[in-house]
Amino acid sequence: MTKTILGLSGSLRRASFNAGLLRAAAELVPEGTGIEIGSIRDVPLYDGDLEKSSGLPPAVQTLQAQLQAADGVLLVTPEYNNGIPGVFKNAIDWMSRGPGLKMWAGKPVAVIGASPGGFGTMLAQAQWLPVLRTLKADLWADGRLMVSRAGDLFDSDGNLTDTASRDRLAGFMDGFAKAI
Ligand SMILES: Cc1cc2nc3c(=O)[nH]c(=O)nc-3n(C[C@H](O)[C@H](O)[C@H](O)COP(=O)(O)O)c2cc1C
């Protein structure tokens, strides 16, 4: 049976390293597993009044349907000011509303990320931990993937071209796929 991983990148940038890392993950997952790439682009800023008057926005409903159908989730996080980028946290906050909270509970989740600096999103990844615990998600912690010095490893369109990084990513995805 094919397993499906919902992959989300926390960057809206055209040539994003993190979106490129997610595309590479989708190429490198082992046979029998597929990554469905979701989009946070059309998710509005969370507003409790909007939720009360109109319910969950269409982009959030789409993401929740993808979450519901997925066997696992791969969060590909950038790091801003040593933390989780607001656009990404905002999308996950929306996804936890209404029926979403139950969907996250027990869901295997892995976190990876890429940055041009030397620490490869280490602090942003750590900041996802209390969020995932609150969602009662099942964090997959056997592997770690922090892609640092991303400027040397991706091409100008944000494609991961570095062979050693692709090998590390393939190993990470193999481990996560086996765990879900
Ligand atoms: C507001 C802001 C703050 C940032 N802070 C950090 C940081 O704390 N650590 C880091 O490694 N990179 C930081 N960066 C650089 C990002 O890692 C870089 O812009 C990266 O390309 C973002 O990911 P993306 O390529 O997927 O868009 C920051 C970028 C922005 C815009």
Side-chain angles (χ1 to χ4, degrees):
M1 203 178 78
T2 306
K3 292 181 217 168
T4 304
I5 295 170
L6 171 61
L8 297 174
S9 157
S11 173
L12 304 179
R13 200 167 71 81
R14 184 193 64 80
S16 156
F17 298 133
N18 288 282
L21 188 60
L22 175 55
R23 287 194 303 277
E27 289 162 15
L28 295 168
V29 275
E31 228 179 284
T33 308
I35 292 192
E36 176 166 12
I37 296 181
S39 173
I40 65 167
R41 178 168 294 280
D42 295 325
V43 176
L45 286 177
Y46 180 76
D47 176 347
D49 293 334
L50 174 70
E51 184 183 19
K52 203 169 175 188
S53 63
S54 316
L56 297 175
V60 175
Q61 290 183 35
T62 299
L63 285 165
Q64 285 189 342
Q66 291 171 317
L67 174 64
Q68 172 82 359
D71 300 293
V73 178
L74 178 67
L75 298 179
V76 189
T77 188
E79 178 173 300
Y80 287 175
N81 296 315
N82 288 174
I84 300 172
V87 287
F88 205 7
K89 178 68 161 46
N90 176 67
I92 303 303
D93 288 341
W94 265 117
M95 286 175 75
S96 73
R97 301 297 294 165
L101 207 51
K102 276 203 179 116
M103 296 176 190
W104 282 107
K107 190 76 76 178
V109 178
V111 184
I112 59 176
S115 88
F119 299 98
T121 70
M122 188 163 71
L123 289 165
Q125 289 193 32
Q127 288 187 12
W128 278 105
L129 304 185
V131 178
L132 294 173
R133 185 174 71 174
T134 304
L135 296 173
K136 299 188 170 70
D138 181 11
L139 172 75
W140 183 69
D142 278 2
R144 277 199 184 204
L145 192 79
M146 291 165 247
V147 180
S148 53
R149 309 279 173 227
D152 300 331
L153 310 175
F154 291 77
D155 68 17
S156 57
D157 291 321
N159 298 305
L160 182 64
T161 50
D162 179 66
T163 310
S165 304
R166 291 182 71 89
D167 287 349
R168 280 200 302 136
L169 177 60
F172 182 98
M173 293 313 302
D174 195 47
F176 185 43
K178 281 197 178 96
I180 64 177

